[in-house]
Amino acid sequence: MSILWFLLIGIAAGWLAGQLMRGGGFGLAGDLIVGVIGALLGGFLFGLLGLSAYGMLGQLVTATVGAIVLLFVLRLIKR
């Protein structure tokens, strides 16, 4: 069940990051996939900084930050 929540939060974070990072994106499906991968990246980055997120809102914030960072890097590479 936790994998399902992880995927749902990653999808929501990908959509939210796509909305926050306007511009030539990867489309809805691409942003959602980036959101799931960004959730992993966000957890890693927050761990490096010594931060931890509690609850569903904290996990959504962590995943969104990771997705924004990943979208930023991918858009730099895409140019």
Side-chain angles (χ1 to χ4, degrees), residues 2-27:
S2 64
I3 292 174
L4 178 64
W5 281 116
F6 174 78
L7 290 174
L8 290 175
I9 289 173
I11 288 170
W15 176 82
L16 186 59
Q19 296 298 311
L20 293 173
M21 297 281 297
R22 298 213 182 254
F26 296 100

Side-chain angles (χ1 to χ4, degrees), residues 2-70:
S2 64
I3 292 174
L4 178 64
W5 281 116
F6 174 78
L7 290 174
L8 290 175
I9 289 173
I11 288 170
W15 176 82
L16 186 59
Q19 296 298 311
L20 293 173
M21 297 281 297
R22 298 213 182 254
F26 296 100
L28 180 62
D31 285 347
L32 296 180
I33 292 169
V34 167
V36 173
I37 297 169
L40 293 170
L41 179 63
F44 176 74
L45 291 175
F46 273 45
L48 285 177
L49 295 173
L51 301 172
S52 57
Y54 296 102
M56 191 179 300
L57 183 62
Q59 292 173 351
L60 182 62
V61 168
T62 301
T64 302
V65 168
I68 287 172
V69 168
L70 186 60

